Amino acid sequence: MVEKIHWCRPGRRAMLRKIMFWVVLIPLGKELQAQKACSIKGRLGADQNGMVFISVQNADNSYTKDSAAVKNGIFYWEKKIAEPCHASLVLNPDKKGMGLQMDQQELFLDPGVVAELSGNAGLTGSEVKGGPSQQEYMTLMGQLKLIGDEGKKLDSLYQKYTLEEDEDNLKQVMEQGSKLTKKRKDVQQEFIKTHPESFVAFILWLRKVAPAVIDVNKVEPEFMQFSARIRNSATGKALAGRMETARSLMPGKLAVDFSLPDTAGVKVALSSFRGKYVALCFWYRNFSPFESFSFALNRIYKQLAGDSLHIVSVFYNGPGPEWNAILRDANMNRWTNLIDRDGIINNRPVSTVAKAYDLSFGLIPQLHLIGPDGRIILRDINMAVDPVGDIRKAINK
């Protein structure tokens, strides 16, 4: 029942993970040579004043935030970019509220092209003219418009029948909504399939790939369907980098060794647990449902930990007493707890550990099983289902 593509909305896994790519370094000179200025010119209603906040997609699929002043409906913004990218604009969010109530507009930017927004009111509903990528985006949105209109009608009916407690009609509306969702996905998939040269199609595809731990066997064939131009772009190389990291973390590979401080400040190496199975967990606190996560780790400890299996958890929220308080309150201080201080900053992996294991706040918690020989047995165990059963089966315990 969603009537538009929310390009900036973070994706989710079982533990409500967010989106993140890590940056693959590209020769700086070549990148700067390829950059060209793009700009956005706005001519809205004359009564529009304040600030427009602009989020622009980076090569690693993160977003850089900027702003521009709006006076009597006029604003201007400029930035150098190397390749087409998605942008999201919001006008005076503090005044307009949050979520779907925000006065917003989405568009695609092309290097060397001026995007023009015009209308008699705010951003929402304004006409957008831009380059080739914006035209492709508008083609896709045109295909989705009828589906979106149907979705709006179903949303209204859903609210109506909910208030009336009409279970029969609610069931029908939900069934229609499921069919509409599938129809929308089919349109998007067809667009991706038929536009191998399109950055719009590529970014739409990335929305499915980016929120999850990379499965190379599944992702690589789909990636190769895009043109060489797309694959060799900065955004394409960023994904290729993640796939290379994923290959190094496949079952049978040696787990990357590291040494991090424990709660007493003493450095502990992962390799010091050779000879035992290790349940290696990367985590942070600010996600939901944290209680289910901590419960799962405690179950693993109670049912499996001992002479042959040890739990090693690596915390990503920064140093300080908060970490110890979390461990104490969640009863997680019974195994080896390490901290990777400033390992992830602004949702980007900074430390060697975070880079080696392709970590971001959007991709943790993660739980891996490492064998006595230091090789990975299971990667990214689903902690929301039966992690104890998965580990027990793998170690025949």
Side-chain angles (χ1 to χ4, degrees):
M1 290 183 238
V2 179
E3 66 271 18
K4 66 182 291 186
I5 300 174
H6 297 282
W7 295 90
C8 293
R9 181 180 298 166
R12 292 188 175 189
R13 297 184 72 248
M15 304 295 287
L16 300 181
R17 296 176 176 175
K18 301 177 185 175
I19 186 168
M20 173 63 207
F21 286 158
W22 68 277
V23 180
V24 175
L25 295 179
I26 299 166
L28 187 58
K30 292 182 180 180
E31 185 182 14
L32 290 177
Q33 275 184 338
Q35 288 188 337
K36 294 181 180 179
C38 71
S39 59
I40 302 175
K41 289 183 178 180
R43 185 176 293 275
L44 308 176
D47 60 336
Q48 302 296 313
N49 294 281
M51 298 291 293
V52 59
F53 294 87
I54 306 165
S55 297
V56 182
Q57 180 194 24
N58 300 311
D60 65 351
N61 213 43
S62 64
Y63 279 78
T64 297
K65 296 182 179 181
D66 204 349
S67 62
V70 181
K71 186 175 181 180
N72 299 327
I74 306 297
F75 70 89
Y76 179 81
W77 174 89
E78 184 176 302
K79 178 183 174 68
K80 286 187 176 181
I81 59 175
E83 60 191 42
C85 61
H86 171 256
S88 172
L89 282 65
V90 181
L91 180 62
N92 298 328
D94 55 326
K95 298 179 181 179
K96 298 294 183 180
M98 300 300 291
L100 297 177
Q101 300 301 315
M102 289 194 296
D103 187 355
Q104 58 189 331
Q105 184 61 265
E106 299 185 41
L107 66 154
F108 270 78
L109 302 173
D110 285 284
V113 176
V114 178
E116 298 182 354
L117 280 72
S118 58
N120 297 320
L123 290 171
T124 303
S126 60
E127 182 182 1
V128 183
K129 294 182 179 179
S133 296
Q134 176 61 23
Q135 294 173 21
E136 290 174 356
Y137 176 58
M138 294 307 297
T139 297
L140 173 60
M141 295 308 294
Q143 294 173 5
L144 294 172
K145 185 179 184 305
L146 292 176
I147 299 174
D149 291 342
E150 291 181 52
K152 290 179 182 179
K153 294 177 182 178
L154 287 179
D155 284 339
S156 297
L157 289 173
Y158 183 85
Q159 294 176 25
K160 176 179 181 292
Y161 295 140
T162 298
L163 290 173
E164 295 174 355
E165 298 184 357
D166 188 339
E167 296 294 335
D168 291 337
N169 277 318
L170 269 176
K171 183 178 179 181
Q172 291 183 21
V173 168
M174 292 176 70
E175 289 175 352
Q176 292 176 47
S178 296
K179 292 178 181 179
L180 204 61
T181 298
K182 183 182 183 304
K183 186 177 179 181
R184 176 169 53 84
K185 288 181 179 179
D186 289 344
V187 169
Q188 293 173 354
Q189 289 301 318
E190 182 63 20
F191 183 84
I192 292 170
K193 182 180 178 181
T194 56
H195 291 76
E197 280 278 353
S198 168
F199 274 91
V200 178
F202 186 51
I203 292 169
L204 177 61
W205 175 73
L206 284 179
R207 282 185 50 79
K208 177 182 66 173
V209 174
V213 172
I214 294 292
D215 181 346
V216 179
N217 294 328
K218 181 179 179 181
V219 171
E220 187 168 38
E222 295 180 2
F223 179 59
M224 294 304 295
Q225 292 178 7
F226 288 96
S227 69
R229 169 176 169 263
I230 296 293
R231 299 196 309 272
N232 291 322
S233 67
T235 307
K237 288 179 178 179
L239 178 61
R242 284 194 69 201
M243 288 193 293
E244 282 303 308
T245 300
R247 284 190 184 92
S248 70
L249 297 171
M250 294 178 72
K253 299 288 186 179
L254 277 173
V256 178
D257 194 20
F258 57 80
S259 183
L260 293 171
D262 63 11
T263 52
V266 178
K267 283 199 171 183
V268 178
L270 177 64
S271 57
S272 66
F273 298 97
R274 287 285 175 89
K276 293 184 177 183
Y277 290 98
V278 174
L280 174 61
C281 181
F282 300 101
W283 66 289
Y284 75 119
R285 175 60 184 88
N286 298 321
F287 68 91
S288 177
F290 174 77
E291 292 73 19
S292 297
F293 159 77
S294 59
F295 178 76
L297 270 187
N298 275 288
R299 281 189 64 226
I300 294 170
Y301 175 80
K302 291 177 181 178
Q303 298 187 34
L304 298 175
D307 293 336
S308 61
L309 184 138
H310 199 84
I311 297 176
V312 177
S313 79
V314 180
F315 180 68
Y316 282 92
N317 246 31
E322 179 192 12
W323 176 36
N324 288 288
I326 294 169
L327 294 176
R328 183 185 64 250
D329 294 344
N331 206 23
M332 292 172 59
N333 51 5
R334 298 179 290 175
W335 50 79
T336 300
N337 287 285
L338 309 178
I339 186 168
D340 190 4
R341 291 185 175 90
D342 300 320
I344 299 173
I345 298 177
N346 295 328
N347 209 29
R348 297 184 181 192
V350 176
S351 70
T352 55
V353 180
K355 290 178 180 179
Y357 285 88
D358 190 22
L359 304 177
S360 70
F361 291 129
L363 293 175
I364 56 178
Q366 283 188 37
L367 177 66
H368 308 321
L369 178 65
I370 300 172
D373 59 356
R375 296 185 181 276
I376 297 171
I377 298 175
L378 298 175
R379 184 192 181 201
D380 193 32
I381 300 168
N382 192 332
M383 299 186 71
V385 182
D386 184 18
V388 171
D390 291 339
I391 295 174
R392 192 190 301 279
K393 182 179 179 180
I395 65 179
N396 296 316
K397 185 175 179 179

